[in-house]
Every structure is written in structure tokens, then in C-alpha cells.
């Protein structure tokens, strides 16, 4: 599990999104990283990948790729070094699903 108070020489891993976002830190994108640039093609592929994952197989994890973080010089800040495009898309997707679910009646389906 990632621990934002560790020394930089200790490797850390997070195996689930929950363990990634449960930590007490903020994620920042360094200024040298390119701007968010996923267009329709990448977003469409993201949704197709989600649709193709076996829905009835909760024991098969969905691999979203690897991410590399670096401790910031500010307490409780982790810089996203690799994977910021995927992580940004994932956060936007989860926020959109949460907003959609909040406006729906219980038990209604979402069409991806």
C-alpha cells in the first residue's frame, strides 16, 4: 500500500482503486506533464474495455495499467509521474457514474 510519509527509497504498491484513493494525500500532476489529451478514440476504447471485462466474475480484477507516483516536497502530496491520462479519465468516469446514479431510482440500469 502507498504511504505518503515513507522515504522515497521504499517501494509501495496499491492493488485496488480503493487502496489507491484511501490514502490521506492529494494527487497532483507535475507542470511538465502534457495536458489531458484523450479524445473520442481513447475514451471509446476505455468504455469498450470495461464492457468486455467479465461482468459476472468479481474474482477477476480489471487491470487498468500501472501508475508511477513521486512524493512531493509538500506533506501529503503525491505527484503522478506516469499514468495521469488514465487516472484522470478514471476519476472523471467514476464522478460521472456517481452523479448519474444519484439522479436515478434504485435498481435502474446504466447504459455504458
Amino acid at each position: 500500500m502507498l504511504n505518503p510519509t515513507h522515504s522515497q527509497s521504499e517501494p509501495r504498491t496499491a492493488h485496488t482503486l480503493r487502496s489507491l484513493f484511501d490514502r490521506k494525500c492529494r494527487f497532483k500532476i507535475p507542470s511538465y506533464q502534457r495536458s489531458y489529451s484523450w479524445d473520442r478514440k481513447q475514451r471509446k476504447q476505455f468504455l469498450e474495455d470495461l464492457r468486455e471485462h467479465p461482468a459476472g466474475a468479481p474474482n477477476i480484477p480489471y487491470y487498468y495499467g500501472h501508475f508511477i507516483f513521486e512524493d512531493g516536497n509538500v506533506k501529503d502530496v503525491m505527484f503522478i509521474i506516469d499514468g495521469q491520462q488514465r487516472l484522470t479519465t478514471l476519476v472523471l468516469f467514476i464522478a460521472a457514474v456517481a452523479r448519474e446514479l444519484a439522479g436515478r431510482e434504485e435498481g435502474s440500469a446504466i447504459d455504458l
Side-chain angles (χ1 to χ4, degrees):
M1 180 186 303
L2 292 175
N3 177 354
T5 60
H6 88 295
S7 72
Q8 288 187 357
S9 62
E10 297 175 32
R12 299 166 297 156
T13 59
H15 296 286
T16 65
L17 289 175
R18 177 172 290 196
S19 67
L20 178 64
F21 290 114
D22 271 353
R23 55 199 92 274
K24 307 282 188 236
C25 70
R26 291 178 297 142
F27 295 100
K28 288 192 167 192
I29 300 169
S31 60
Y32 59 81
Q33 290 282 6
R34 65 186 168 126
S35 298
Y36 183 77
S37 63
W38 273 25
D39 59 22
R40 180 180 211 109
K41 178 181 175 183
Q42 287 92 0
R43 291 188 307 265
K44 183 178 177 182
Q45 184 63 54
F46 169 72
L47 292 175
E48 285 176 13
D49 289 347
L50 289 178
R51 283 187 199 108
E52 290 174 3
H53 187 72
N59 294 330
I60 300 175
Y62 177 77
Y63 180 70
Y64 195 60
H66 72 276
F67 302 97
I68 297 175
F69 301 95
E70 178 179 274
D71 288 335
N73 293 330
V74 179
K75 183 181 177 191
D76 301 331
V77 171
M78 299 285 286
F79 288 101
I80 306 168
I81 304 303
D82 186 37
Q84 67 101 343
Q85 301 281 318
R86 286 174 284 124
L87 192 57
T88 299
T89 301
L90 181 62
V91 169
L92 291 171
F93 177 76
I94 291 171
V97 169
R99 186 177 52 241
E100 180 69 23
L101 288 174
R104 288 179 174 255
E105 294 182 25
E106 188 173 327
S108 61
I110 294 178
D111 181 25
L112 292 176

